[in-house]
Amino acid sequence: MSLKRPTWIPVVTGLLRKGSKVLVGQRPAGHSLAGQWEFPGGKIERNETPEQALVRELQEELGINADVGQLKLASSHSFGDTGIVILFYEILFWKGEPKAVHHMELRWVEPQELKTLHIPEANRKILDRIIEQLQPVP
Ligand code: DGT
């Protein structure tokens, strides 16, 4: 058992849907995981609910006003004494057109294409479940 309590960083991300596709952004240089393709989002700040944090992050990163939908998945990933817990929310409706304000590039991809992209390990671990969540409801 570890003597030191781990530090957990709570993160929220949005699964923005357009038809069968989902939006991913390439993380900018100078940040951790630079060049990797992520779902837009970021850390929950103090005194924010996960939904408030996601609305703020999507405004800052994409310039959209999002309507946060259902919580679809949760994942955790640790490195050393630190870990992240990521909550994935479905985003079906928003105002504005997503722009790469923060990312190097944005792409709408088919869920299966996520397998071919360089994505964070925290997402890779649960990619089958992410893809399953992104299938259209029959
Ligand atoms: P950092 O990590 O200190 O460079 O800070 P930021 O501001 O670049 O990171 P931020 O606010 O995007 O925080 C999200 C953290 O979660 C970051 O360490 C990367 C990690 N992460 C893993 N998978 C994802 C994902 O799909 N989307 C986002 N936004 N972050 C992810």
Side-chain angles (χ1 to χ4, degrees):
M1 210 177 74
S2 116
L3 296 172
K4 194 169 174 291
R5 297 184 71 177
T7 302
W8 286 100
I9 300 170
V11 174
V12 279
T13 67
L15 302 172
L16 270 79
R17 311 303 312 279
K18 188 156 83 178
S20 58
K21 297 191 172 172
V22 65
L23 187 69
V24 287
Q26 192 172 30
R27 287 180 65 85
H31 287 248
S32 61
L33 314 179
Q36 296 195 33
W37 293 88
E38 65 168 14
F39 300 110
K43 295 168 186 136
I44 305 176
E45 290 177 359
R46 276 181 205 280
N47 305 320
E48 276 183 331
T49 65
E51 290 85 358
Q52 286 168 343
L54 190 51
V55 167
R56 177 184 50 73
E57 288 285 352
L58 297 180
Q59 181 61 249
E60 289 172 4
E61 293 190 352
L62 305 175
I64 62 168
N65 186 4
D67 184 359
V68 175
Q70 279 190 31
L71 174 62
K72 288 292 185 179
L73 282 166
S75 168
S76 62
H77 185 65
S78 342
F79 25 91
D81 282 337
T82 310
I84 55 172
V85 175
I86 310 187
L87 305 176
F88 298 79
Y89 286 86
E90 182 172 66
I91 310 283
L92 298 176
F93 308 105
W94 59 88
K95 291 200 184 81
E97 188 56 34
K99 290 178 293 291
V101 178
H102 160 83
H103 295 97
M104 291 198 265
E105 192 188 332
L106 297 179
R107 273 194 210 167
W108 291 98
V109 299
E110 293 294 341
Q112 292 292 337
E113 282 179 68
L114 293 168
K115 291 182 182 171
T116 66
L117 295 177
H118 189 195
I119 61 173
E121 184 55 29
N123 299 2
R124 175 71 59 190
K125 291 202 305 206
I126 59 153
L127 188 53
D128 288 345
R129 283 165 58 210
I130 294 175
I131 291 172
E132 195 181 304
Q133 287 299 332
L134 293 170
Q135 294 312 305
V137 188

